[in-house]
Amino acid sequence: MRNVRTFVVVPSLPAELSRLNDLAQNLWWSWDHDCVNLFRRLDRELWEECYHNPVKMLGKISQERLEAARQDLGFISHMERVLDCFDEYMAKPLTSKEVTVYFSAEFGLNECLPIYSGGLGILAGDHLKSASDLSLNLVGVGLLYRQGYFSQYLNADGWQQESYPENDFFNMPVELMKWEDGRPIRFHIDIGGNDVVVQIWRVRVGRISLYLLDTNLRCNRIEDRQITSQLYGGDSNMRIRQEILLGIGGFTAMKTLMIEPTVCHMNEGHAAFMSLERVRRLMLEKKLNFHQAREATRVANVFTTHTPVPAGHDAFSPALMEKYFKTYHAELGISWQEFLTFGRVNPEDIHAPFSMTNLAIKMSNSCNGVSKLHGEVSRHMCSNLWPGVPVEEVPIDSVTNGIHVKSWLSYEMAQLFDRYLGPDWRERTDRKEIFQHVDEIPDAELWRTHERRRERLVAFARRRMRMQMAHRGVGPTELSTADEVLDPEVLTIGFARRFATYKRANLLFSDRARLEKILGDPEMPVQIIFAGKAHPRDNEGKDLIREIVHYIQNTRLRNKIVFLENYDMNVARYLVQGVDVWLNNPRRGMEASGTSGMKVLGNGGLNASILDGWWCEGYSPEVGWAIGKGESYHDKNYEDEVESHALYNLLENEIVPTFYDVGKDKLPRKWIKMMKESIKNICPEFSTERMVEEYDSRYYGKARENYSKFFDKDCSKAIVLSDWKQGISDRWKEVRIDKVELISKNELQVGSDLEVRCQVYLGSIAPSDVVVELYQGPLGQNNGEITNGTSVPMNFVGQGGADNNFVFNGKINCKYTGLCGFTVRVMPYHQDMSNRYETRLITWENNDQAPEPASLECVN
């Protein structure tokens, strides 16, 4: 190839309009309706043509139109108003000096920056937006995918096809980071023995910076340039290279930019290699060994898991790990086998794959799922990492996801909130007391506002259908039918998700005759809009899409069901702002949280969902509908049969009749009441402002404290704690529980105490280095095991009958009647441990096994 020299051309704006570029380059505009309207006002058609990308629009707009805007006093006044809001927003000080770095494989910020695939990325983008609103000192780290996630289109048979358009980053709201002399900021990273050059781009998200790594440089090998080609593309070999870049490269990027991370938050296990690089660098800086540096760093690492099924967690074969880390482990000063144990449950299983989730958990102080139910599922799924610890005590908590309300709320609904809630709702969308004023909105005004959004959704769906049909080459006669699909006055149900089989997009079609009766009712008709992508390698998911498309094509009610192709943030926005009901029917326990249903809340939409993910916490009969009662099934076919009938019953007996139950004023008063209850009671609860504040108060704040305690000049506390743990681990096999005595009568009344004494042999371990506890609770009727157990500390009494044998006393308060049980356990204790289970050492009475508890009945 010829040697091509590059240069960048930027928009030429009149001096009076120059700050439009400041607005375009900061995604703050994406959640400020007034700023969006400003860009739309410049050229409405060009705004749509550029797919809501103000940077591209400013580069394409004619100089004549800019000149006209410069002389338009109304436009100038509008721009100055927006700039005043922007400057006031950006001037707010950050809440702390310590930096939290948020690592994620994808970020969904706006449709004009397509480097996201779905829920994980949208959640990450909303996390950054709310962190900005809350003035947190947080930065994001991800990868800049040249082709992003795929674009979807369907062939004539309804089979999903994929295309990968190239992203033009010089015409997107992303900027290449440069040194003061104009050179791009770059660094080197070793990936599989190859020196890879990485450059850094920045996306401005309000007050937050998102740094994205890019290997698509001519100085790199073709294979290495492909690392940042596609999101979730390629095989395991490509995936591990991307995750090395995200984790090790992401931490290196922070050091290159002279950003010193205090807290490192890994959003899913993709970034888990970051924890190793953080250790390696501290070893060099402080002259520590691996275990000491790990002790110092893990206390400031936070890990969030989003996946409730084992197959969804990345794991790499030992051979693949050896290809990329055979020399890296030597830099950590540990053996190859010890290195691999950080990704394994059983260190002795030399054939086990290396799990990124296991690595993230073992290298973090705080771990959480993304809903209360997902926290329970995760504790069960990962309990083998804490052998001997009861499942309910496995140290995986939960922070329920939310959404950035201002990004998903319609302009019309936002105006309604301004009038009746006051401007404070924009400052804190998580404040329930503000949203109580929703009751003051007149029913008619709320309903008409929602109806306008349904009308816009139908108009959008028709345009989209016409575009889809034209792309498939249909004739003019058939093309005209796109203008007849859907009805803006009919009850509209939305189902838009990733087309994975467990989400059961076809559940609604289980009884087609019954469905057609519901849809085709002349007095109370219903219509449904589907959207979503299947992973390119998920043929079962593609079959679901084809099944739905075939049904639409062959039913007499084809105008009442549509499938919108290429689901993205723009399509999602129209859907969540316009549907009446959001349908979600996954297999229970497999939806970690789900945030799409949260996005309809502020827009007046109602949810009908399986009691899974966030809906377990959000549901009540006043705000929506539950499909089933939260049952679990072993037979999937039976589960589908039962829950499809439950869905049909809801539609026939509750949802449809309630929607069409109107008075003389043609207002569905009961439906509107549910809309108001949903908005005021659950919309603020499921906002990312609540979520991010919860992360900050429960995890980031604790991590900052740990950082200041362990990262002193010589990391002395970390060294002491690491050495103590090593000594305890070496000697723990000496610990045993020799004798347990009851110092109470056999019959106990509620409220009385059961006193227990035990003797514990500690060998060379001091009594001050352990905690001895009674683990007690009601007994399960089937298996005789303690259920919903709680721990009660036992007090050190003194020396026992033999050397190194010590006596502990404790009391159990009998709170419940019926058959109860207890056992005794011993765990290591150190005042500087922030997590009582972090040693993963525990000894139970009776040779490490909780015995059949004593038969002591609590009676009235």
Side-chain angles (χ1 to χ4, degrees), residues 159-171:
W159 188 257
Q160 174 181 289
Q161 307 289 304
E162 298 90 28
S163 64
Y164 294 87
E166 296 276 340
N167 285 323
D168 179 7
F169 296 121
F170 290 99
N171 279 309

Side-chain angles (χ1 to χ4, degrees), residues 103-105 141-143 213 242-251 270-271:
F103 295 81
S104 183
V141 174
L143 304 184
L213 311 184
Q242 289 182 330
E243 296 186 2
I244 290 170
L245 178 62
L246 175 62
I248 297 176
F251 197 83
H270 307 123

Side-chain angles (χ1 to χ4, degrees), residues 707-780:
Y707 184 91
S708 63
K709 181 166 70 173
F710 284 89
F711 276 73
D712 56 9
K713 184 177 180 180
D714 54 4
C715 295
S716 56
K717 282 187 178 293
I719 293 173
V720 169
L721 182 57
S722 173
D723 293 347
W724 176 86
K725 282 185 177 180
Q726 189 63 51
I728 286 288
S729 179
D730 292 342
R731 294 174 289 158
W732 192 253
K733 58 182 177 292
E734 303 172 11
V735 177
R736 66 177 185 268
I737 298 166
D738 278 346
K739 187 177 182 182
V740 178
E741 298 177 283
L742 307 179
I743 318 175
S744 300
K745 59 185 180 180
N746 283 344
E747 187 173 273
L748 298 163
Q749 294 183 337
V750 171
S752 63
D753 290 332
L754 170 64
E755 190 171 355
V756 181
R757 176 181 298 157
C758 71
Q759 290 189 22
V760 179
Y761 180 79
L762 296 177
S764 57
I765 298 175
S768 59
D769 287 335
V770 301
V771 58
V772 181
E773 295 178 333
L774 294 163
Y775 182 74
Q776 61 88 29
L779 288 187

Side-chain angles (χ1 to χ4, degrees), residues 657-676:
T658 303
F659 182 86
Y660 286 104
D661 181 15
V662 299
K664 291 182 179 179
D665 56 6
K666 297 188 177 181
L667 294 178
R669 297 285 182 175
K670 184 177 178 182
W671 189 279
I672 295 170
K673 188 176 189 301
M674 292 181 72
M675 289 170 64
K676 287 186 173 181

Side-chain angles (χ1 to χ4, degrees), residues 236-254:
S236 294
N237 188 59
M238 176 57 73
R239 181 65 67 89
I240 195 173
R241 289 151 63 82
Q242 289 182 330
E243 296 186 2
I244 290 170
L245 178 62
L246 175 62
I248 297 176
F251 197 83
T252 304
M254 294 297 94

Side-chain angles (χ1 to χ4, degrees), residues 585-785:
N585 43 241
R587 297 195 187 282
R588 189 171 191 269
M590 300 187 73
E591 187 80 272
S593 176
T595 58
S596 58
M598 301 175 188
K599 297 178 177 72
V600 305
L601 298 174
N603 292 294
L606 302 177
N607 280 269
S609 175
I610 296 291
L611 286 169
D612 198 12
W614 77 280
W615 193 233
C616 292
E617 301 163 50
Y619 167 71
S620 68
E622 297 79 23
V623 300
W625 297 274
I627 304 168
K629 305 281 185 191
E631 302 91 345
S632 296
Y633 300 88
H634 295 293
D635 185 331
K636 291 182 179 180
N637 292 328
Y638 180 65
E639 178 181 8
D640 292 346
E641 180 183 352
V642 170
E643 293 182 341
S644 65
H645 286 302
L647 175 55
Y648 293 136
N649 289 338
L650 274 179
L651 288 168
E652 293 167 339
N653 302 324
E654 296 191 39
I655 297 175
V656 177
T658 303
F659 182 86
Y660 286 104
D661 181 15
V662 299
K664 291 182 179 179
D665 56 6
K666 297 188 177 181
L667 294 178
R669 297 285 182 175
K670 184 177 178 182
W671 189 279
I672 295 170
K673 188 176 189 301
M674 292 181 72
M675 289 170 64
K676 287 186 173 181
E677 291 297 318
S678 177
I679 294 171
K680 72 181 185 181
N681 291 325
I682 60 177
C683 179
E685 178 66 22
F686 295 99
S687 77
T688 40
E689 289 189 16
R690 185 274 309 157
M691 181 194 81
V692 172
E693 192 171 64
E694 194 173 343
Y695 273 114
D696 191 51
S697 61
R698 290 175 55 191
Y699 299 131
Y700 298 165
K702 183 67 177 293
R704 288 192 293 265
E705 291 176 15
N706 289 336
Y707 184 91
S708 63
K709 181 166 70 173
F710 284 89
F711 276 73
D712 56 9
K713 184 177 180 180
D714 54 4
C715 295
S716 56
K717 282 187 178 293
I719 293 173
V720 169
L721 182 57
S722 173
D723 293 347
W724 176 86
K725 282 185 177 180
Q726 189 63 51
I728 286 288
S729 179
D730 292 342
R731 294 174 289 158
W732 192 253
K733 58 182 177 292
E734 303 172 11
V735 177
R736 66 177 185 268
I737 298 166
D738 278 346
K739 187 177 182 182
V740 178
E741 298 177 283
L742 307 179
I743 318 175
S744 300
K745 59 185 180 180
N746 283 344
E747 187 173 273
L748 298 163
Q749 294 183 337
V750 171
S752 63
D753 290 332
L754 170 64
E755 190 171 355
V756 181
R757 176 181 298 157
C758 71
Q759 290 189 22
V760 179
Y761 180 79
L762 296 177
S764 57
I765 298 175
S768 59
D769 287 335
V770 301
V771 58
V772 181
E773 295 178 333
L774 294 163
Y775 182 74
Q776 61 88 29
L779 288 187
Q781 296 300 311
N782 295 328
N783 54 21
E785 294 182 356

